[in-house]
Amino acid sequence: MVVLLCFFLFQIAILKRLPNYSFKQNILIATLLFSAVIVSLVEVLSLFNSLNLYSVATFWAVFLLLTSIYLFKTFSNIKSVIAKKVSTIKGIYNSLNLINKILLWVIIAMMSLLLFQGIIYPPNNWDSLSYHMSRIMFWLGNESVNHFPTFILRHLYQPPLAEYYILNINLLNGNDYFANSVQWLFLLLTILASWSVLEYFKVSWNYKILNAFLIVTIPSVLLQASTTKNDIVCSFFIITSIYFCLKAYYIPAFRNFIFLGMSAGFAFFTKGTGYMFMAPVLIIFSTAIVIQVFSTHNFKSIYKGLAAIIIIILINAGLYIRNYNINHNILTIDEIEGKMYSNDKMNAKLLLSNIIKNSGLHLGYPIGEKSDEFIRDLHKKLNIDINDGATNYNNANYQLPVNITTHEDLVPNLIHYILTLLSCIALLCFMLRYKKNKLALLFGLTILLQIIFFCGYLKWQPWHTRLHIPIFILSTILITVVSMRIKWYRYIVFATLPLLAYGFYFNCFYNNIRPIIKSPYTLNLKPGTNRYKKYFANQLHLYDDYVKIADMIYNDMPEKMGITLGDWEYPLFTNFYYNHVKLVTLQVDNVTKKIPQDISNIDCIVTGYNKSSININDTVYINQTPENNHIWYYKK
C-alpha cells in the first residue's frame, strides 16, 4: 500500500508543478515519471546487489516523507489547484445527460468489482505462476534483477516493468494481495489516456463516457484486469505514446518529445509485443515529422526526435545489456525459443491466412461453429494449409472458441470485433471525402498496420486474444469517433450497450479461475475458498503436495534452496517476501547454464522426481515427502 500511496501523492504533487496542464495530462505525465522512479530504483539497487526489503523500504520512506513535506509546504496552493480541478470535474458531471450519468456509475461499479476480484484472488493464471511472479522471488533471493540459471527462459528476457511495480508493492506489503491491482490501476489510467487522445477528435464528454464503457466491457480486458499479466499496462503506454505523438506534432516542444520517448520506452520495457504495436505509430509519426520539417525548414524536431530515441534506449538499456551478455541479442537469450513465436515464412497469402485465423478467435459463441466452417472452407479455396506449422505456434491445430468460455486466454471479443469492423467500413464509406476526418483515417491506418505487423511476425496461437488487447482498446477510440459523427452507426453502438453490460456481468462473475459465483463455466473455486488453494485453479491436483512442502519450507526457513522444477515455482514462496530465500536452479541444460552461480551450502531442494536421496555437490539430501505424487522435498 505504501507504493500506491506514494503514487497517488506524487500525482497530487504534479498538479502543483504543472498547473496549466489538464487533469488528464497531469496524470499521464506523473505516471511516466513515477514509472521512471520505479525502474531507476530497481536497476540501481541491482547494480549493488541491494534489492532487498531494507533498501526498498528506506527509499519509499524517504520518498513518502519528502513528498509529504512538499505537499504540506505548498498545501494552500495545491488546495486551490485541487479545488479548481474538482470544480471542473463537477461541471463535467453536470453537463452529462442522464443516460451517460447512469453509464458513468455503472463503470464505477464495474471497476470496483474488478478491484475486489483482484484482491480476493491471488495471482493464479498460468503465466503468473510460470514466470511473472516466480521471477520476482528469484530477484529478491539474488537481491538483483541480473540474469540467473533457470529452466524458464521467460524469467529473464521478457520485459519486466509490470513486475517491477509488483515487486515494490508486494515487498513492502509482505504478501501478494495487491499484485493484481497493478493491471487494474493501469486499466483506469488507460481510460484517461484514451480520453486524452479523443480530445484531438473534439469528442464531447458524453462520448468519452461511452469510450470508457467500451474499454471496460472488452471481455479479454475485464478478465485480465484482475491478473498480473501486462497487456493492459502495455496498452497504456502505447496510447500515451500516440497522445504525445499528436502533442509533439502540433506543439513541437522539447518536453513533448521527451514524454513520447518515455512512453515508447516503457511500452517496450513492458511487453515484447510493444515493438510490433509501436512500430506503426513511430513510422507514421516520423514520416509526419519529416514532412513537417522539410515544409517549414525547422530542423529542431529532428534533434528532439533523437533525444526521444536516446530515452527509449536508456529505459531499456539494463535489459538489453543483460540479454546481450548471454547470447549477443538484446531482445532474447535463446535463438530457438525466439524463433518458436515468429513465422517461419511469410507472403501475401499466408499473411491473409494469419489475419483471418486471428480474427476467427473473436468469432466465438453463438456464431463459432458457422465461423469455423467458413474459415476452413476459405482456406481450402485459397489453397492454404490452415494448420501449417510455419505459421501456427508449436504446430498447433487451428480451432475456434465455439463454446462459451470465460477463460482470459481464450475468450472472444465478438461484439467489439463487429463494432470495430463496422466502424472501419463506415469510416471508409462515409468519412473519406471530408478533410476533417483525415486524423480518424490515419488512426484507422495505424490500427490496420498494427494488425499487419502482428500477424506478419507472430505465429497464430489459440490464446492470442490476450495479445490483441492493445488493438481492441485502440479500436474503442475509433468506434467512439465514428459513432459521434455517423448517426446510423451510433444507433448500432447504443443498441449493443445492454449486451456489453451483460457480457461484463457474465465474464466477471463466472470468471473461469477467479469466479464471484461458481458455475459450469468456472473451475472448482469460489471467493470463500482457502486463498492458498486458489493458486492452483488450473492444476488443483498439485495443491496437496505444494501446501505440504510450502509449510515445511516456511518452518525450516532455509537461507539457500535448490530447485529443479520446470514450472510453477512461485506457490512455494508466497510467504518469503520479508524473509527471502536465495533460489538456485540445479541441473540446467539450456543457454543459462553459462551464468555462474554458487551451489554450495544448499539447505534443501525441491524436485520433480521421487528418490530416497539425491547427491548434489557431494552433499546427500534425504527425501522428506516420499508419499507425494508430483513434487518432493529433500533436506540434508
Side-chain angles (χ1 to χ4, degrees), residues 2 52-54 57 137 140 169-175 554 557 573-581:
V2 175
N52 52 48
L53 176 62
Y54 176 78
M137 306 316 292
L140 293 176
I169 293 171
N170 287 7
L171 183 56
L172 296 187
N173 287 346
N175 54 56
Y554 187 73
M557 281 292 171
F573 312 112
T574 58
N575 291 319
F576 281 85
Y577 283 102
Y578 285 166
N579 300 298
H580 70 261
V581 56

Side-chain angles (χ1 to χ4, degrees), residues 384-535:
I384 301 174
D385 182 5
I386 199 170
N387 296 317
D388 189 346
T391 56
N392 282 24
Y393 172 75
N394 203 25
N395 293 307
N397 288 329
Y398 177 74
Q399 57 182 335
L400 278 181
V402 294
N403 298 318
I404 298 175
T405 179
T406 58
H407 194 289
E408 66 202 48
D409 293 341
L410 303 173
V411 65
N413 302 321
L414 177 60
I415 297 177
H416 289 80
Y417 178 87
I418 294 172
L419 290 177
T420 301
L421 194 61
L422 288 175
S423 71
C424 292
I425 294 172
L427 185 66
L428 291 174
C429 294
F430 298 95
M431 299 172 66
L432 190 60
R433 71 189 79 170
Y434 302 111
K435 289 185 179 180
K436 67 178 182 179
N437 294 322
K438 283 187 176 180
L439 185 58
L441 289 168
L442 195 60
F443 196 83
L445 175 63
T446 302
I447 296 174
L448 176 61
L449 290 176
Q450 287 177 328
I451 293 170
I452 291 173
F453 275 60
F454 182 93
C455 297
Y457 180 76
L458 285 181
K459 289 182 176 179
W460 174 88
Q461 300 178 24
W463 45 84
H464 255 176
T465 57
R466 62 194 172 93
L467 301 185
H468 296 163
I469 282 176
I471 294 175
F472 275 92
I473 292 179
L474 285 173
S475 297
T476 63
I477 296 176
L478 196 64
I479 293 170
T480 304
V481 171
V482 176
S483 64
M484 183 186 71
R485 297 181 182 176
I486 299 179
K487 185 179 292 187
W488 66 263
Y489 180 76
R490 183 187 315 149
Y491 292 151
I492 292 175
V493 173
F494 287 166
T496 65
L497 298 186
L499 292 175
L500 293 175
Y502 176 76
F504 178 93
Y505 157 78
F506 185 85
N507 286 296
C508 181
F509 276 76
Y510 301 140
N511 186 313
N512 182 248
I513 58 175
R514 292 178 299 282
I516 303 297
I517 299 175
K518 186 178 176 182
S519 77
Y521 308 107
T522 64
L523 299 182
N524 192 27
L525 294 173
K526 54 186 178 181
T529 301
N530 173 280
R531 183 174 176 86
Y532 191 75
K533 194 171 187 178
K534 292 175 182 176
Y535 287 106

Side-chain angles (χ1 to χ4, degrees), residues 6 9-10 13 58-74:
C6 289
L9 291 179
F10 188 69
T58 300
F59 174 84
W60 287 114
V62 172
F63 186 95
L64 182 61
L65 177 63
L66 294 177
T67 306
S68 300
I69 291 173
Y70 172 78
L71 292 175
F72 179 78
K73 287 186 174 182
T74 59

